[in-house]
Amino acid sequence: MMIGYARVSTTDQKLETQIDQLEVYGCERIFSEKLSGKSADARQELLTALSFVRAGDVLVVTKLDRLARSAVDLGRIVEQLEAQNVDLVVLNQNIDTSTSTGKLMFTMIGAFAEFERDLIRERCAEGIVKAKEKGVQFGRRPKLSEDKIRQLRDDYQSGELSRAELARKYGISRATLYRLAVS
């Protein structure tokens, strides 16, 4: 079955041109939306189309940027389609994964997406190391100061308050109470 997906970014743009092209190509079902392509996760009709397709189906788009705006999103979509044994046709770029050339193009696009993800991970890791060297603290700020932790430990040792009362008094969970009071 041929499944079409059409998208425009703004409400003043028209979907009709894309829908017409998809119908002429032979799409039996077309999913469409007027929404930014920034993130594939936020596009409900794309997600519906991706869950609708079955093995042997063909997902058809007019341009690759209608499907994904980032190589990372494209890489995820590519992996999902491959796992479902669904081919992809991109009309304006002549990509058809049911052909050898189309599979090559699709694989190259996927490889570039994976390469970009790896570079992003490397840059993030380098940035974190540099930030830590400069003394940047990651994560949530401690809820209790060192003085409060000492008071908590003293209160815990005295046994005057129950553990639940101590947790309420200091505004922490019982798990945090045990971690701070015992360590």
Side-chain angles (χ1 to χ4, degrees), residues 88-125:
L88 173 69
V89 170
V90 183
L91 298 176
N92 292 4
Q93 279 105 0
N94 293 324
I95 296 174
D96 180 351
T97 61
S98 67
T99 67
S100 298
T101 305
K103 283 181 185 173
L104 174 65
M105 289 298 295
F106 203 52
T107 302
M108 288 173 49
I109 290 167
F112 282 116
E114 184 175 343
F115 176 67
E116 181 178 344
R117 280 194 306 268
D118 289 344
L119 288 178
I120 290 169
R121 271 191 225 109
E122 287 175 14
R123 287 192 298 262
C124 285

Side-chain angles (χ1 to χ4, degrees), residues 128 131-132 135-143:
I128 289 170
K132 285 182 177 180
V136 173
Q137 296 280 328
F138 287 88
R140 186 175 173 182
R141 291 184 184 269
K143 192 160 190 175

Side-chain angles (χ1 to χ4, degrees), residues 158-173:
S158 74
E160 293 175 16
L161 297 173
S162 72
R163 292 174 178 146
E165 290 170 327
L166 280 172
R168 274 194 301 277
K169 177 180 176 181
Y170 289 95
I172 58 176
S173 70

Side-chain angles (χ1 to χ4, degrees), residues 39-105:
S39 170
D41 295 335
R43 293 187 276 147
Q44 190 56 48
E45 288 297 307
L46 174 60
L47 297 174
T48 303
L50 292 174
S51 65
F52 180 82
V53 294
R54 300 289 178 255
D57 285 349
V58 178
L59 181 64
V60 183
V61 294
T62 57
K63 292 181 182 177
L64 203 50
D65 68 348
R66 301 297 88 196
L67 185 60
R69 293 299 294 260
S70 75
V72 173
D73 278 345
L74 181 61
R76 274 190 238 135
I77 293 168
V78 165
E79 288 171 7
Q80 184 177 349
L81 292 175
E82 284 178 343
Q84 292 176 276
N85 197 26
V86 173
D87 287 320
L88 173 69
V89 170
V90 183
L91 298 176
N92 292 4
Q93 279 105 0
N94 293 324
I95 296 174
D96 180 351
T97 61
S98 67
T99 67
S100 298
T101 305
K103 283 181 185 173
L104 174 65
M105 289 298 295

Side-chain angles (χ1 to χ4, degrees), residues 14-27:
K14 304 283 187 245
L15 283 165
E16 287 75 27
T17 305
Q18 290 179 51
I19 291 172
D20 289 345
Q21 288 177 325
L22 295 170
E23 286 174 346
V24 167
Y25 192 77
C27 292

